[in-house]
Amino acid sequence: MISERMKNLHPYVPGEQPKDRVYIKLNANENPYPPAPEVIKATGAFVKKNPMKLALYPDPDSLSLRASIADMLNKTGGVLCRASVSGKKCEPAQEDKIPFVVTPDMIYAGNGSDEVLSFVFYAFFDSANRLVLPEFTYSFYPVYAGFYNIPTDVIPLNADWTLDTAEMLSRAKANGSGIIFANPNAPTGRGLTRDEVRAMIKSADSDKVFVVDEAYCDFGGESCIPLLSEFRNLVIVRTFSKSLCSAGMRLGYIVANPELVNTVTTVKNSLNHFPVDAVAQAAGKAACENPWYYAECARKVACERDDFIRFLSENGWNVIPSQTNFVFAQKPGMGGEEVYQRIKQEGILVRHFSTKGIEDYVRITIGTKKQMNELKRVIGRLQSV
Ligand code: PMP
């Protein structure tokens, strides 16, 4: 009754979404701020003014949304927390300026970056070569590998939680395979510089696709978008769920050369012709047209993160440096599961992974100042027993 393929399925477990009580939710790396007021307005107006747009299929290729995404990247350089804002205008920081114009044909838009990643796995990796990925990274990658029957080669991190780029490269060469990782990485929060990624892609096989997942880049990483003019095999995956305050909207995208965008579009057209619904297209477009708002949210989150890292260090925790909207930290003398449970009892959810090697750590999403003050109060009272 059940297909053989099902044996390879080990579903991803997302951060819990409890209904029993109202928690301060710092467990899924969502943004604590709502979308820009313009998005709320545009979404309401879209439904009111164009009810027939809900009766008809949306644009299957999200053309207008893709043009707005390209425009936003050109305006911000792909690292919102460093973009300079004046009034409602946004300029990329000098170090983030993209040395070419990102065009809409370099963008693929999908139903959240999880779906986009799934199409990327289908399009570019196959069962003949062991895909290289870091040991601790986004835990959906091995799930997709299982789903599509792609063998993996999992490379341990360095002792300081950075990626072992030399080992990743040498294994990818030996396997004749592609590489995927998140930059900055999750759940560690550490990132590679653009120069480090450039050096990696230079020595990787140019006929294998190199995927960089920039879900968290806007909070202080270095985007690899500027490298797209140098490498035709680079695919960058990004999301509206974190820095664009829209996890509920389900929007993700790829930035890559148009040939690879077309390949992913072929996968899309073979699985789900209309992955981005009409309301999400309108909301996403309005978000991209107001990057100044999200730049300010990202800056607030990054400041709060740095303040929280100081607090944890002063309280004796081990904290990994973070370029993201979360921190990965360990309280000496107390297991990660206990830390998670004790914080949960106080009405705050953080994320604990029981995976061996990171079981002593918790991943804490950065919330508003008020939420972080409450968390600090709870953490200050945590005593080992
Ligand atoms: N990539 C990484 C590294 C993530 O942590 C997440 C969020 N869980 C995603 C992609 C997926 O985000 P979404 O599907 O909401 O776009």
Side-chain angles (χ1 to χ4, degrees):
M1 199 150 66
I2 292 166
S3 74
E4 274 298 299
R5 282 190 302 271
M6 283 299 290
K7 288 191 189 141
N8 292 330
L9 290 200
H10 305 284
Y12 173 72
V13 183
E16 60 198 305
Q17 310 277 353
K19 309 271 180 292
D20 59 325
R21 136 176 204 195
V22 178
Y23 287 93
I24 294 178
K25 207 170 165 302
L26 305 177
N27 68 335
N29 296 344
E30 293 141 319
N31 202 302
Y33 301 107
E38 285 81 356
V39 172
I40 317 293
K41 234 198 238 158
T43 313
F46 177 84
V47 176
K48 256 201 185 142
K49 278 195 202 147
N50 313 287
M52 270 316 285
K53 291 226 164 152
L54 295 185
L56 304 175
Y57 285 111
D59 171 8
D61 295 314
S62 304
L63 283 175
S64 178
L65 170 62
R66 285 163 57 203
S68 299
I69 293 172
D71 198 37
M72 169 187 68
L73 293 174
N74 292 319
K75 282 187 181 137
T76 62
V79 190
L80 279 169
C81 81
R82 281 199 292 264
S84 72
V85 174
S86 121
K88 290 195 172 188
K89 282 217 152 54
C90 226
E91 275 282 317
Q94 192 56 34
E95 68 266 37
D96 297 322
K97 264 193 184 137
I98 302 171
F100 56 87
V101 177
V102 179
T103 49
D105 60 353
M106 295 175 69
I107 309 289
Y108 168 86
N111 184 250
S113 62
D114 280 341
E115 185 208 60
V116 168
L117 281 162
S118 140
F119 292 176
V120 164
F121 271 68
Y122 188 91
F124 303 121
F125 305 138
D126 55 54
S127 55
N129 310 97
R130 293 173 71 198
L131 169 67
V132 167
L133 68 162
E135 181 178 11
F136 302 120
T137 188
Y138 184 32
S139 43
F140 225 136
Y141 305 153
V143 174
Y144 286 135
F147 190 90
Y148 292 120
N149 203 17
I150 298 159
T152 56
D153 202 352
V154 172
I155 314 299
L157 299 183
N158 294 319
D160 64 356
W161 301 93
T162 52
L163 303 193
D164 185 346
T165 56
E167 185 62 13
M168 289 173 75
L169 273 173
S170 95
R171 297 275 272 273
K173 283 210 155 164
N175 299 343
S177 66
I179 293 180
I180 185 167
F181 58 90
N183 193 41
N185 196 22
T188 61
R190 299 210 75 164
L192 296 174
T193 64
R194 190 179 308 126
D195 283 343
E196 286 171 318
V197 180
R198 177 189 279 115
M200 265 185 107
I201 312 180
K202 256 190 182 155
S203 39
D205 272 356
S206 59
D207 61 347
K208 299 288 179 237
V209 167
F210 195 109
V211 181
V212 181
D213 179 346
E214 293 192 343
Y216 300 103
C217 196
D218 274 323
F219 299 104
E222 288 193 19
S223 176
C224 288
I225 295 173
L227 302 182
L228 284 167
S229 55
E230 296 170 49
F231 304 106
R232 300 196 66 74
N233 59 331
L234 172 61
V235 170
I236 297 170
V237 180
R238 298 180 59 108
T239 179
F240 279 61
S241 297
K242 316 296 178 185
S243 54
L244 296 178
C245 309
S246 301
M249 197 60 75
R250 308 309 302 132
L251 280 170
Y253 60 98
I254 284 169
V255 199
N257 83 65
E259 216 180 296
L260 299 185
V261 167
N262 286 342
T263 307
V264 175
T265 306
T266 303
V267 178
K268 183 244 333 163
N269 288 337
S270 312
L271 278 164
N272 178 6
H273 209 76
F274 303 102
V276 187
D277 68 71
V279 180
Q281 288 188 36
K285 202 172 148 51
C288 294
E289 285 165 1
N290 292 281
W292 60 275
Y293 171 87
Y294 298 99
E296 288 187 342
C297 292
R299 201 183 340 270
K300 277 192 277 188
V301 169
C303 286
E304 209 54 57
R305 171 198 67 211
D306 293 343
D307 176 69
F308 186 56
I309 288 176
R310 267 192 303 277
F311 168 85
L312 289 177
S313 303
E314 283 162 14
N315 280 270
W317 287 53
N318 295 319
V319 197
I320 301 175
S322 171
Q323 297 177 317
T324 64
N325 67 337
F326 58 84
V327 298
F328 202 47
Q330 183 223 357
K331 179 173 168 55
M334 195 180 281
E337 170 71 24
E338 187 182 350
V339 171
Y340 154 77
Q341 289 294 353
R342 299 267 299 268
I343 294 177
K344 185 174 177 182
Q345 278 163 20
E346 303 283 339
I348 302 177
L349 281 181
V350 298
R351 187 92 198 257
H352 174 250
F353 300 90
S354 50
T355 319
K356 201 169 159 9
I358 53 171
E359 69 275 33
D360 288 342
Y361 280 72
V362 287
R363 192 195 68 191
I364 303 171
T365 305
I366 302 302
T368 59
K369 182 165 278 313
K370 190 163 169 237
Q371 290 174 325
M372 297 315 284
N373 282 343
E374 177 61 16
L375 178 63
K376 285 180 192 164
R377 198 181 56 75
V378 168
I379 283 177
R381 290 209 316 252
L382 270 188
Q383 304 287 352
S384 48
V385 270

